[in-house]
Amino acid sequence: SQKIEQNSEALNIQEGKTATLTCNYTNYSPAYLQWYRQDPGRGPVFLLLIRENEKEKRKERLKVTFDTTLKQSLFHITASQPADSATYLCARYLTDKLIFGTGTRLQVFP
Amino acid sequence: EADIYQTPRYLVIGTGKKITLECSQTMGHDKMYWYQQDPGMELHLIHYSYGVNSTEKGDLSSESTVSRIRTEHFPLTLESARPSHTSQYLCASSGQASRGTEAFFGQGTRLTVV
């Protein structure tokens, strides 16, 4: 079955550093990978989408890469801030189903 | 601001009661989804719909049922609530899956069955 795996352990980093989160998928490469942010008790909010023919995508302090050889996407937050603390999810479509990874909790300390 | 709404926001109900969780979107999206999520745990897809009169079960087995009579409305029903149904239920919608379009989520319904 198609699976999306993210590091289930929380990532703790100091303010100002770059946070890097990993998303690994199995079997065939998706045409798109999406990244979302989820705060406690709330629904996920879309951040970035990257296509399989794109190596990298940027939006302000966010950067996403997509390596179809490694079957992996990396999500980077540069100059991280305490307000960036949240759970970050990657997601892919399987025909009409939108499937999410397990999510990685990021904690940024002042 | 996403135009997708869920009601109620919180619901505490006794075992055996029938409940319906409401979800509406005003974006004209064909795709709609229901996810179940326990605190600190992953999102599990329980139902989805790709248009009016089309519904499918997701990857996580659920005793709930859904209907899609109108594009904008995708309610979820539990005929007889049990404590094991206690969870957060999140509704979402999206445009064309073939274009990888983003999903918009409602604020969720936190259900507690006592």
Side-chain angles (χ1 to χ4, degrees):
Chain A
S1 65
Q2 309 295 329
K3 291 187 73 174
I4 303 175
E5 294 179 348
Q6 297 181 253
N7 190 347
S8 58
E9 290 192 18
L11 178 62
N12 299 312
I13 64 167
Q14 192 173 20
E15 182 176 10
K17 302 291 186 184
T18 295
T20 298
L21 289 72
T22 304
C23 176
N24 296 295
Y25 57 90
T26 60
N27 297 327
Y28 68 87
S29 291
Y32 308 85
L33 267 177
Q34 301 181 352
W35 283 88
Y36 291 76
R37 168 184 173 141
Q38 187 176 25
D39 292 290
R42 294 186 163 271
V45 175
F46 173 81
L47 296 174
L48 279 171
L49 176 150
I50 186 164
R51 294 176 174 78
E52 62 178 339
N53 61 353
E54 296 176 319
K55 295 293 184 189
E56 182 180 296
K57 197 78 165 284
R58 290 176 185 263
K59 179 183 176 182
E60 298 173 352
R61 295 184 295 111
L62 309 181
K63 184 178 85 171
V64 173
T65 62
F66 195 177
D67 190 327
T68 55
T69 302
L70 294 177
K71 294 186 187 288
Q72 183 179 83
S73 175
L74 298 180
F75 178 82
H76 307 271
I77 305 175
T78 59
S80 59
Q81 304 166 359
D84 295 326
S85 299
T87 296
Y88 292 85
L89 305 158
C90 65
R92 63 175 291 179
Y93 277 100
L94 280 172
T95 56
D96 289 312
K97 296 191 296 183
L98 182 59
I99 306 299
F100 285 83
T102 51
T104 299
R105 190 167 188 286
L106 172 66
Q107 189 76 38
V108 181
F109 293 97
Chain B
E1 189 82 15
D3 295 320
I4 179 164
Y5 308 98
Q6 289 185 245
T7 56
R9 186 81 173 87
Y10 302 94
L11 179 61
V12 180
I13 200 161
T15 298
K17 299 291 187 184
K18 177 180 178 179
I19 59 170
T20 297
L21 308 185
E22 301 288 348
C23 177
S24 294
Q25 52 97 3
T26 58
M27 296 173 280
H29 286 162
D30 288 329
K31 310 287 189 297
M32 294 191 75
Y33 314 86
W34 276 103
Y35 294 87
Q36 184 176 343
Q37 186 178 38
D38 293 323
M41 305 298 284
E42 62 187 285
L43 278 163
H44 290 287
L45 181 66
I46 52 174
H47 298 283
Y48 66 103
S49 166
Y50 40 85
V52 171
N53 293 326
S54 85
T55 61
E56 300 285 345
K57 289 189 179 297
D59 294 334
L60 180 69
S61 176
S62 173
E63 293 167 345
S64 58
T65 59
V66 292
S67 63
R68 190 89 182 277
I69 298 172
R70 303 197 317 265
T71 298
E72 61 272 20
H73 196 212
F74 191 41
L76 181 146
T77 299
L78 275 166
E79 290 293 333
S80 180
R82 294 208 300 265
S84 61
H85 297 138
T86 295
S87 189
Q88 180 168 34
Y89 293 84
L90 288 159
C91 179
S93 72
S94 70
Q96 289 292 328
S98 60
R99 297 186 181 181
T101 55
E102 66 188 274
F104 294 88
F105 280 80
Q107 288 196 311
T109 294
R110 174 145 323 267
L111 173 66
T112 302
V113 184
V114 298

